[in-house]
Amino acid sequence: MLGLDVGSKTIGIAVSDDLGIAAHPLMTLARVGTKGDVAVLERLVASERAVAVVVGLPLTLDGEIRLRARRVMVLVDALKARLAVPVETWDERFSTAAAMRVLIEADLSRARRKEVIDRQAATYILQGWLDARQGAR
C-alpha cells in the first residue's frame, strides 16, 4: 500500500511492507498540479505494485471538511478516476505533529526534519490505516 500526505507544495509518500503490517517512508514528491501529480503517482503505484492508496484527509479538529480537505479531495477524485487500485482517505489530524515529535526525539536537525517531515507524516497516516485494518480482522 502507498500512503500519501498531500500538501500544497509537496506530497509525502510512504509504503507498506508486503504483509501490510508496517509503513515506511519512501519519498517526497514536489507537486506540479493535479494532472501531473496523478501521472507520477500512477507510475509509482505500478512500480511499487501497490494494491491500495491511502490519502490523509486534513479534517478540522471537530471533524469537518473545510478548504484544505476539499483541495485534497480534488486529488483523491482524480486518483480514483485513473488508478486501477482502491483509493481511500484516512483522518490525518495530528499526523504532522506526531511525525515531528518522532523526528525531534530522534534528535534530527531542523534542516533534516524539514527534508523528511512529509514522508514521515505519510508513514504515520499509512500506519494508522494499517493498524485499523489489523484490528478489523
Side-chain angles (χ1 to χ4, degrees):
M1 278 60 91
L2 290 181
L4 308 180
D5 177 46
V6 180
S8 59
K9 296 179 183 177
T10 60
I11 300 174
I13 303 172
V15 64
S16 73
D17 60 3
D18 290 339
L19 299 175
I21 296 171
H24 308 281
L26 183 62
M27 63 186 290
T28 301
L29 172 68
R31 300 219 44 199
V32 294
T34 301
K35 189 174 183 178
D37 296 343
V38 169
V40 171
L41 292 169
E42 188 174 29
R43 289 190 298 272
L44 188 60
V45 165
S47 69
E48 292 293 328
R49 288 182 240 126
V51 297
V53 175
V54 179
V55 183
L57 189 62
L59 302 172
T60 63
L61 290 178
D62 56 357
E64 292 182 19
I65 294 178
R66 295 264 170 88
L67 182 60
R68 284 186 60 228
R70 284 195 294 270
R71 287 181 178 160
V72 170
M73 286 306 299
V74 169
L75 180 64
V76 168
D77 292 341
L79 289 170
K80 286 181 177 182
R82 286 278 302 270
L83 298 181
V85 300
V87 177
E88 298 186 27
T89 59
W90 183 255
D91 182 355
E92 74 155 27
R93 284 179 283 186
F94 310 115
S95 62
T96 300
M100 186 61 78
R101 273 194 308 278
V102 169
L103 297 176
I104 289 170
E105 288 173 11
D107 201 28
L108 264 66
S109 68
R110 283 180 194 247
R112 184 70 179 131
R113 287 193 308 255
K114 187 176 179 183
E115 280 179 30
V116 301
I117 187 64
D118 295 325
R119 66 187 95 155
Q120 193 65 39
T123 303
Y124 186 85
I125 291 163
L126 182 56
Q127 190 64 57
W129 184 82
L130 292 170
D131 291 348
R133 282 188 58 217
Q134 288 295 324
R137 289 183 182 173

